[in-house]
Amino acid sequence: MAGIFVHYLLTEADSFQGSEAALSALKAQSTQTHKAIQHKKLILGAVPKISQPIDDIVYEDSELGICIVLDGFCRISDDYLNLIYKKLNPASQRDHLNGIAYLISKDTNDWAKMLEGSFNIAVYDSKRDRLWIANDLFGFYPLYSYRSDRAIVFASKQSSILATGLIKQPRFDYTSFAEHLLFNYTISNNSFIEGISSLPAAQEILIHAGKIDQRKYQSYLALMAEAALNKKESFHRLNSSLEKACNRIMAYTDTTVNMSLTGGWDSRLVLSYLIKNHKDRLKLYSFGAAQAPDITVPQHISSSESLDYTPYILDDHYLQSHFKTAAHDTVMLSEGSRNYKRTHYLYAIQKVAENSLDLITGIFGDEVIKVGRPQGGAVISKNIVRLLQNGFAIDIELKNEIKDVCTLIASFWSVDVEALYQGLITRIQNLGTQYCAMGESNWQHLLFRFDINLRKYFGAEAASYNDYVNCYSPFTDNHFFFDYLKSSYSAHRHPFSASNIFAKLNSTHLYAKLVQCQYPALLDYPSSRGYNMRQALSYFNYLGILLKKQKGKHFPDAFNTKKTDGMFKELLEPDIPNISIDDKYRESLYSLLYWTRLMPSY
């Protein structure tokens, strides 16, 4: 994937052997460019997206003695940027990387807190020999690190670190494999390679004079403790904040922006904020089986509203001509963290990247607007829900499932089942100690969502297509998030219990009211829920909505994935032992197997 690489020598007698290979390991295609900046004991390098100029992510200022490499997208908040340019040249063009260089040169405290976006950034001040590493508030894109007695390395991919040769005998972290099977992603900061860790959210690291200082630069616990705005103020704050977030995204570029429009409500809500002022810049798309709601609904909306829309039909032609190649890319670019059932996301994004580097989606909207205890599924697993519900106590049912997962892993790799079991129990207990100190289950749920779930599920997926597009969502905008926490809608202000009829009514009503404020015509179109948004505006219609949900037409295999288990298994043959595999583990296990078989050997 496109990203950054930082190699810092802790001993002057050492060398940068392997750094060129490390940069190559970041590339999805050999034709991608890269740039490296070398100092006496430091290399900063970056690989841009396939059609992105290298100067977008690499910056050098010889006068200030500052160099910067960037993964993702990053801006200084407007208020801070205006203050900076009052001190620099008020007439000059606002350049965010230049502004960051200025902040570092002035030894500005809390410089990372002034940034917004989804990013990993490394800044080197050669005049004072200081290296800064930081990621965004949510740690959206992964950044991995490894430290030996010789050097410390940061990279956007595990394989980039392996390519340095610093790890002489790399070993898979099978406990992380078990986490992944049990929870759909690792819940600890361990990676799939022993010794390599992933950076937590909102981290700032300073390396200077042989010392490494790391801190969390932003906590929102104090904001969560404030009294909530009343319902009316909460609605107006949320509405205004979403509008501003969408406009900020559109201000990142002055060209065409791709947008995912599905049959669901999150993307419909985002569209309501964009359609009036940015309609001509949007290129909408969706993917699915030909008659699935994710195709028919956006087709209907786009035709009626004269929007530029392209469907990507996941039919048998797609399966026969594209699935295996796209499945390979999905697994390898994500380094095993995304499974082949998610292949259609990468397939479609490779197509829309020909229009623009920028993609706006409604990801995490559902997680923000709905309250209460989720049922558990792919995004947040039933096992995570059970832990949050039980105060991270590991009940008998979960212990038995942990044993099953450890036994399954031992069927494919040579591991000690008991040691694997104990290692996983310890990691869960460590996470529990951390989260139980943060408040009740409803607080823990919100913190888990934004600190771990967002980066480990959505961030890992976005990173798998980071070579093609920047992925934006107004629901992961810093300013929106802080306004959300102040509102009465924030999840931590509601009990962590199964959603009752009133909680469901309120979240459904909120979607509809927000759309009504922005672009009421969007209320009347059908949706994948089986009813339109206008029906949700009336409390009296709610009973009818529930009946429609119960009797609504279910579209089976909306992404035409039924045949993909057998097709992907063909890629693995003859590496699969003839043993029974529970359906809930198969997709992730097969994908991990594929990655471990094909990952480069360094």
Side-chain angles (χ1 to χ4, degrees):
M1 66 185 73
I4 63 172
F5 170 75
V6 180
H7 191 161
Y8 187 91
L9 300 180
L10 296 173
T11 59
E12 293 188 7
D14 220 321
S15 70
F16 294 112
Q17 184 177 356
S19 290
E20 194 69 22
L23 283 165
S24 294
L26 290 176
K27 301 177 181 181
Q29 297 180 6
S30 59
T31 54
Q32 279 173 267
T33 186
H34 72 265
K35 186 173 182 178
I37 303 168
Q38 183 169 342
H39 290 268
K40 184 177 180 181
K41 53 185 178 181
L42 171 73
I43 282 183
L44 295 175
V47 173
K49 292 170 177 53
I50 289 168
S51 57
Q52 182 182 33
I54 189 71
D55 291 343
D56 282 1
I57 61 168
V58 178
Y59 177 86
E60 294 181 86
D61 189 319
S62 56
E63 183 178 343
L64 293 177
I66 303 289
C67 53
I68 300 173
V69 292
L70 171 68
D71 174 22
F73 56 96
C74 176
R75 290 166 54 95
I76 301 175
S77 295
D78 288 339
D79 291 343
Y80 292 119
L81 191 66
N82 290 334
L83 288 173
I84 289 169
Y85 274 89
K86 281 182 180 179
K87 296 179 180 179
L88 290 174
N89 182 359
S92 64
Q93 183 178 359
R94 300 311 200 237
D95 182 283
H96 292 271
L97 293 183
N98 175 246
I100 294 170
Y102 176 80
L103 290 175
I104 293 294
S105 71
K106 296 301 181 183
D107 205 17
T108 306
N109 291 328
D110 291 329
W111 66 276
K113 196 184 290 189
M114 300 177 187
L115 307 183
E116 57 190 36
S118 297
F119 61 86
N120 296 304
I121 191 168
V123 186
Y124 182 59
D125 181 347
S126 61
K127 291 184 177 180
R128 293 179 293 179
D129 187 28
R130 292 185 176 185
L131 171 65
W132 299 87
I133 306 285
N135 61 1
D136 63 84
L137 179 66
F138 308 119
F140 187 70
Y141 290 113
L143 186 67
Y144 300 98
S145 67
Y146 173 78
R147 182 178 179 180
S148 70
D149 56 353
R150 298 160 49 195
I152 183 167
V153 180
F154 300 89
S156 300
K157 288 181 73 172
Q158 300 162 87
S159 55
S160 181
I161 294 176
L162 291 177
T164 64
L166 287 170
I167 305 177
K168 296 303 181 184
Q169 294 182 314
R171 293 189 296 269
F172 295 120
D173 189 324
Y174 298 110
T175 310
S176 293
F177 285 10
E179 285 182 66
H180 184 69
L181 295 183
L182 198 64
F183 303 115
N184 299 332
Y185 38 81
T186 57
I187 58 171
S188 70
N189 290 318
N190 297 280
S191 76
F192 288 156
I193 305 295
E194 286 187 4
I196 297 178
S197 59
S198 61
L199 201 63
Q203 297 297 298
E204 179 186 279
I205 299 171
L206 171 62
I207 303 177
H208 175 61
K211 294 182 179 179
I212 303 172
D213 295 318
Q214 181 171 345
R215 71 183 184 101
K216 188 178 181 73
Y217 64 78
Q218 183 123 35
S219 171
Y220 29 88
L221 287 171
L223 199 58
M224 291 170 66
E226 293 181 6
L229 300 171
N230 65 41
K231 189 172 182 179
K232 184 177 180 181
E233 290 174 332
S234 293
F235 177 80
H236 288 300
R237 179 71 68 93
L238 217 60
N239 183 38
S240 173
S241 194
L242 271 175
E243 183 173 24
K244 290 175 182 177
C246 287
N247 287 331
R248 269 191 293 273
I249 291 170
M250 297 305 290
Y252 284 149
T253 177
D254 56 4
T255 59
T256 297
V257 175
N258 296 305
M259 181 180 170
S260 169
L261 180 65
T262 69
W265 285 23
D266 295 328
S267 60
R268 181 91 56 96
L269 178 57
V270 174
L271 180 61
S272 74
Y273 289 95
L274 299 175
I275 193 169
K276 287 184 293 188
N277 299 321
H278 306 289
K279 177 178 180 177
D280 293 340
R281 291 177 56 199
L282 297 177
K283 281 193 171 290
L284 307 181
Y285 78 97
S286 68
F287 47 78
Q291 298 304 313
D294 277 351
I295 294 294
T296 59
V297 172
Q299 279 179 330
H300 185 181
I301 295 172
S302 300
S303 175
S304 300
E305 300 292 338
S306 301
L307 295 164
D308 187 342
Y309 165 76
T310 302
Y312 294 97
I313 307 300
L314 306 177
D315 54 13
D316 284 346
H317 172 74
Y318 153 76
L319 288 178
Q320 296 304 320
S321 302
H322 302 288
F323 170 74
K324 286 186 177 180
T325 298
H328 166 88
D329 290 345
T330 294
V331 174
M332 299 310 294
L333 289 176
S334 70
E335 298 190 303
S337 67
R338 311 310 295 160
N339 70 63
Y340 59 89
K341 291 286 188 181
R342 310 289 291 181
T343 291
H344 40 272
Y345 285 86
L346 179 62
Y347 166 73
I349 281 169
Q350 288 173 329
K351 300 288 188 184
V352 303
E354 297 172 6
N355 302 325
S356 169
L357 283 172
D358 300 296
L359 167 65
I360 183 169
T361 74
I363 63 168
F364 221 61
D366 197 59
E367 287 68 33
V368 166
I369 291 180
K370 291 182 179 179
V371 298
R373 189 177 72 236
Q375 292 181 348
V379 176
I380 184 164
S381 71
K382 291 182 179 179
N383 289 327
I384 285 295
V385 173
R386 185 183 298 141
L387 285 174
L388 289 167
Q389 191 175 2
N390 295 338
F392 281 86
I394 305 172
D395 59 25
I396 295 298
E397 185 179 352
L398 184 55
K399 283 183 179 179
N400 289 335
E401 188 166 347
I402 291 172
K403 291 176 182 177
D404 291 343
V405 165
C406 293
T407 302
L408 179 62
I409 288 174
S411 301
F412 292 88
W413 292 280
S414 179
V415 296
D416 183 323
V417 173
E418 181 59 27
L420 187 59
Y421 174 83
Q422 293 299 333
L424 186 52
I425 291 289
T426 299
R427 288 188 186 180
I428 294 170
Q429 290 173 337
N430 289 342
L431 188 70
T433 300
Q434 175 189 345
Y435 272 79
C436 288
M438 294 179 179
E440 299 299 322
S441 293
N442 51 345
W443 281 49
Q444 294 170 25
H445 176 221
L446 184 139
L447 291 164
F448 182 87
R449 281 288 203 187
F450 283 94
D451 268 359
I452 295 180
N453 176 228
L454 176 55
R455 65 189 173 99
K456 292 299 186 78
Y457 186 85
F458 293 102
E461 178 151 286
S464 72
Y465 41 75
N466 195 29
D467 290 279
Y468 303 94
V469 294
N470 278 317
C471 182
Y472 312 108
S473 171
F475 300 107
T476 61
D477 176 269
N478 297 23
H479 304 284
F480 168 77
F481 174 63
F482 294 135
D483 284 335
Y484 165 75
L485 288 182
K486 297 172 187 174
S487 78
S488 60
Y489 298 107
S490 181
H492 79 287
R493 303 189 188 278
H494 299 265
F496 188 68
S497 56
S499 293
N500 57 36
I501 189 170
F502 298 106
K504 292 176 181 177
L505 169 60
N506 287 331
S507 65
T508 303
H509 192 66
L510 176 59
Y511 272 111
K513 280 185 65 181
L514 289 169
V515 171
Q516 184 183 40
C517 281
Q518 295 299 321
Y519 199 78
L522 291 177
L523 293 170
D524 296 311
Y525 295 108
S527 78
S528 55
R529 295 191 182 193
Y531 55 94
N532 66 39
M533 286 182 156
R534 189 172 296 281
Q535 291 171 276
L537 285 174
S538 168
Y539 290 109
F540 296 105
N541 285 337
Y542 193 55
L543 180 59
I545 287 174
L546 286 182
L547 291 173
K548 280 201 172 187
K549 286 184 73 173
Q550 291 168 1
K551 298 178 181 179
K553 181 181 177 182
H554 173 68
F555 193 92
D557 202 14
F559 299 115
N560 198 16
T561 60
K562 189 178 296 184
K563 300 177 184 178
T564 58
D565 289 323
M567 294 179 71
F568 193 78
K569 189 175 180 181
E570 291 173 5
L571 295 177
L572 277 170
E573 299 289 5
D575 292 324
I576 303 179
N578 188 24
I579 62 172
S580 176
I581 301 174
D582 193 307
D583 288 345
K584 62 186 174 184
Y585 306 131
R586 181 180 291 107
E587 297 154 16
S588 293
L589 180 65
Y590 279 7
S591 299
L592 278 173
L593 277 169
Y594 189 78
W595 175 66
T596 58
R597 301 294 195 268
L598 293 187
M599 67 174 293
S601 177
Y602 296 104

